[in-house]
Amino acid sequence: MILIIDFGSQFNQLISRRVRENNVFCKIVPPDIAISSIKKLNPEGIILSGGPSSIYEKNSPKANKVIFDLNIPILGICYGLQFMVDALGGGVKYAKKREYGFAELNLKKQINVLEGINKKTNCWMSHGDSIESLPDGFVISASTDNTRIAAVYNTKRKLFGLQFHPEVEHTPQGKKIIRNFLFNICKCKKNWTMKSFAKESVSNIRDTVRDSKVILGLSGGVDSSVTASLIQKAIGKNLTCIFVDNGLLRKNEASQLKISLKQHLNINIRFVSAVNKFLKALSSVTDPEKKRKIIGKIFMDVFENEAAKIKNADYLAQGTLYPDIIESVSAFGGPTSVIKSHHNVGGLPKKMKLKLVEPLKYLFKDEVRKLGKELGLPDELIWRQPFPGPGLAIRIIGKITRQRLAVIRDVDELLLEEIRNAGYYKKLWQSFAVLLPIKSVGVMGDKRTYENIVAVRAVTSKDAMTADWAKLPHKLLAKISNRIINEVKGVNRVVYDISSKPPGTIEWE
């Protein structure tokens, strides 16, 4: 196994992902993990993640320096490298010129983790500090025009460091660098698979829940459907799923999913309508964080009311994924920045009667789809595009009314119909529309109109941590725009969002 010490990077789980892609098990832990715990885990290697702090700041996160004396191979990435350098007597300072984005990496030595890497290759930088001096025994193996020390090694002590991020897609040879660390340096074996993950998860769920009953919030998306299937394998009839119609779903989605879920999941499902409760609470709310908090609270109220009807229901299960967590809270104790609350993470009330079970919380969407395949779920459920827990509440910018919901539902239906007809549904990570809080002047039937603006958003991604706007054909965009304006009453202008993530997020709110 590989141990990953989390210093708070937004990308720290991508490191875990890259390790798992190579069928190697890994575990993410906070910086304050005890040396005795590390020895007990007995990892083949340790990776120190990046992070938002500066090592010279007063409260910057630090691990026990003794890790460097354990004779375990260690790879430091960005802040992880700076911690290594500082801990062993080197110097780190504020960089005169910060480096964010692509940079050309020039290799001085193609050895150890850089073995087989092109002498000149692109890499992804994201740092405001730089290494001024190296500890004894370290050698520079790569530089960029802006960063003299971009990669280092100390072969004798099995210590390696990268100032850039090999874990992100934007470093083209990053996967190879991580493979070099796993297999050439740490001598890991390929023995972790989605099948083994499923087996381990079922065992963990049984050990945690025992004879208690679990209630699962079932939305019909791949996350909650896979969660339901996994828990059902663990505890059988002790799982009860609840589908809540919050009034924020797509057009006819509640009725369609009711049929689909009963057909594909041999699980006890209760359908609850709480439309009026949600819409009344959201009627005058415009702030997106408040929307999420309100939805999370009512969601829990509904669940706890249902839980009261089920004897020994002590657990609430959710299909929470890692991107939800990393944007909402620090997943492993590191100082990760909060981007936005997710209704099933930061949106949940602090005091809950039910304990949480979240078996997918360290997985990405494509990994969940692989798990769904392993569990035998149909493509109809596995390949649904992600739909946010707060639903259309965060796709309506500003106030939520029944009239505005009707507009965005009609737009969404037409958009997805055209995306499917053009053969793009599975190619895109997400495709959706956003109703803006402003109106524009238009001309329809020789008359002046003053109506709503709709933004269409379509992105490609592998894990939702980063995403690029989809280069859809102009002919398809024109057809989508034409149909929306002509067929949806109340819309006279359609715009296309060409923002990537980062700097934007996938959803607008």
Side-chain angles (χ1 to χ4, degrees):
M1 60 129 9
I2 293 293
L3 198 65
I4 300 170
I5 294 182
D6 167 29
F7 285 121
S9 170
Q10 290 290 332
F11 299 132
N12 60 22
Q13 183 66 4
L14 282 180
I15 303 170
S16 172
R17 174 189 174 83
R18 298 296 170 241
V19 173
R20 293 198 299 257
E21 284 175 347
N22 287 284
N23 303 117
V24 175
F25 179 70
C26 61
K27 185 178 180 67
I28 303 180
V29 296
D32 61 359
I33 182 172
I35 294 298
S36 59
S37 298
I38 295 177
K39 289 180 178 179
K40 187 176 180 180
L41 289 167
N42 192 30
E44 271 70 43
I46 297 173
I47 298 178
L48 308 175
S49 85
S53 303
S54 293
I55 193 66
Y56 47 77
E57 292 174 345
K58 185 179 180 181
N59 295 316
S60 60
K62 295 179 177 66
N64 192 321
K65 295 180 184 180
V66 177
I67 62 170
F68 301 115
D69 298 322
L70 296 177
N71 198 35
I72 297 171
I74 297 177
L75 173 64
I77 296 174
C78 198
Y79 178 89
L81 165 61
Q82 293 167 10
F83 163 70
M84 180 189 295
V85 168
D86 179 77
L88 297 176
V92 179
K93 65 176 182 178
Y94 179 77
K96 291 181 180 178
K97 184 181 178 182
R98 297 182 301 174
E99 197 170 25
Y100 294 97
F102 285 111
E104 186 178 67
L105 189 69
N106 300 301
L107 272 64
K108 300 178 184 296
K109 295 180 181 292
Q110 294 168 289
I111 61 174
N112 50 68
V113 295
L114 299 181
E115 184 178 335
I117 305 302
N118 297 340
K119 280 203 167 184
K120 288 185 179 293
T121 184
N122 282 338
C123 67
W124 185 261
M125 290 287 192
S126 182
H127 65 100
D129 295 323
S130 62
I131 296 168
E132 185 175 27
S133 60
L134 287 172
D136 292 340
F138 279 80
V139 178
I140 299 173
S141 52
S143 303
T144 70
D145 289 342
N146 185 59
T147 303
R148 183 175 67 91
I149 303 175
V152 301
Y153 66 92
N154 183 325
T155 307
K156 186 177 180 180
R157 299 189 67 177
K158 302 179 185 176
L159 303 179
F160 311 89
L162 307 171
Q163 185 57 71
F164 59 92
H165 289 269
E167 71 272 26
V168 302
E169 290 288 335
H170 305 81
T171 299
Q173 293 190 284
K175 293 181 181 180
K176 189 171 184 179
I177 292 171
I178 290 175
R179 283 199 300 271
N180 283 340
F181 180 70
L182 295 178
F183 302 116
N184 296 353
I185 306 296
C186 300
K187 309 299 181 185
C188 293
K189 294 179 180 178
K190 294 186 175 186
N191 57 11
W192 187 88
T193 63
M194 198 52 70
K195 185 175 183 178
S196 66
F197 176 84
K199 185 177 179 181
E200 181 187 4
S201 295
V202 168
S203 177
N204 288 341
I205 292 165
R206 282 198 192 115
D207 291 343
T208 299
V209 174
R210 298 184 182 277
D211 295 328
S212 297
K213 292 185 178 179
V214 177
I215 299 174
L216 168 66
L218 189 62
S219 68
V222 60
D223 308 335
S224 62
S225 297
V226 170
T227 302
S229 181
L230 199 59
I231 295 176
Q232 195 268 344
K233 286 183 181 298
I235 62 172
K237 294 181 180 180
N238 279 345
L239 169 67
T240 299
C241 295
I242 299 174
F243 179 89
V244 177
D245 183 357
N246 57 14
L248 304 168
L249 304 175
R250 293 184 174 113
K251 193 172 184 177
N252 301 322
E253 188 167 31
S255 57
Q256 290 170 358
L257 281 174
K258 191 171 185 178
I259 296 170
S260 177
L261 293 173
K262 282 186 174 180
Q263 181 181 348
H264 296 300
L265 295 177
N266 185 27
I267 294 171
N268 178 30
I269 306 175
R270 297 187 181 195
F271 293 88
V272 181
S273 177
V275 175
N276 292 334
K277 187 177 289 187
F278 278 91
L279 296 188
K280 183 178 179 181
L282 293 166
S283 62
S284 60
V285 181
T286 59
D287 180 82
E289 280 294 283
K290 288 183 179 178
K291 287 179 184 178
R292 290 173 179 273
K293 299 285 186 183
I294 288 169
I295 291 167
K297 184 180 184 306
I298 297 175
F299 176 81
M300 283 308 306
D301 288 344
V302 171
F303 266 79
E304 290 185 346
N305 285 337
E306 287 298 316
K309 303 173 186 177
I310 303 170
K311 192 175 180 182
N312 295 326
D314 296 325
Y315 289 88
L316 167 66
Q318 295 192 134
T320 307
L321 302 191
Y322 184 75
D324 301 337
I325 292 177
I326 199 60
E327 287 190 332
S328 300
V329 296
S330 175
F332 305 101
T336 310
S337 296
V338 174
I339 307 302
K340 60 186 177 184
S341 297
H342 287 260
H343 86 292
N344 55 339
V345 186
L348 293 176
K350 291 181 180 179
K351 292 183 179 180
M352 293 197 309
K353 297 175 184 176
L354 300 173
K355 291 170 278 189
L356 281 177
V357 176
E358 298 172 305
L360 311 182
K361 67 180 179 179
Y362 302 141
L363 297 185
F364 290 94
K365 183 74 72 176
D366 61 325
E367 293 175 319
V368 173
R369 287 189 168 122
K370 289 177 184 176
L371 179 57
K373 278 283 187 186
E374 183 68 40
L375 296 171
L377 293 180
D379 283 355
E380 180 183 340
L381 293 178
I382 291 173
W383 286 103
R384 289 192 76 206
Q385 285 187 3
F387 187 66
L392 299 177
I394 57 170
R395 292 182 180 173
I396 295 177
I397 312 300
K399 289 186 178 181
I400 299 166
T401 65
R402 291 180 187 270
Q403 183 181 7
R404 299 191 82 202
L405 280 165
V407 170
I408 198 64
R409 283 192 179 108
D410 287 343
V411 171
D412 177 83
E413 182 181 44
L414 292 180
L415 170 63
L416 292 182
E417 183 180 318
E418 291 302 327
I419 291 293
R420 284 192 175 95
N421 289 344
Y424 275 88
Y425 188 79
K426 285 187 178 181
K427 296 177 184 178
L428 298 173
W429 180 265
Q430 272 177 275
S431 47
F432 59 92
V434 180
L435 184 60
L436 305 187
I438 55 175
K439 294 185 176 183
S440 70
V441 174
V443 178
M444 299 177 76
D446 295 327
K447 292 182 180 180
R448 178 187 187 274
T449 63
Y450 189 60
E451 292 179 335
N452 294 295
I453 303 174
V454 165
V456 171
R457 176 84 157 139
V459 298
T460 57
S461 180
K462 290 189 176 181
D463 45 44
M465 297 299 291
T466 59
D468 195 13
W469 63 277
K471 280 68 174 177
L472 297 179
H474 291 179
K475 188 175 180 180
L476 174 58
L477 290 173
K479 189 174 183 181
I480 289 169
S481 175
N482 185 267
R483 285 199 65 190
I484 290 172
I485 291 171
N486 280 288
E487 298 179 40
V488 180
K489 188 176 180 180
V491 178
N492 70 357
R493 192 178 299 271
V494 175
V495 298
Y496 189 53
D497 182 351
I498 59 170
S499 309
S500 296
K501 176 186 178 178
T505 54
I506 294 177
E507 297 286 348
W508 277 42
E509 291 192 337

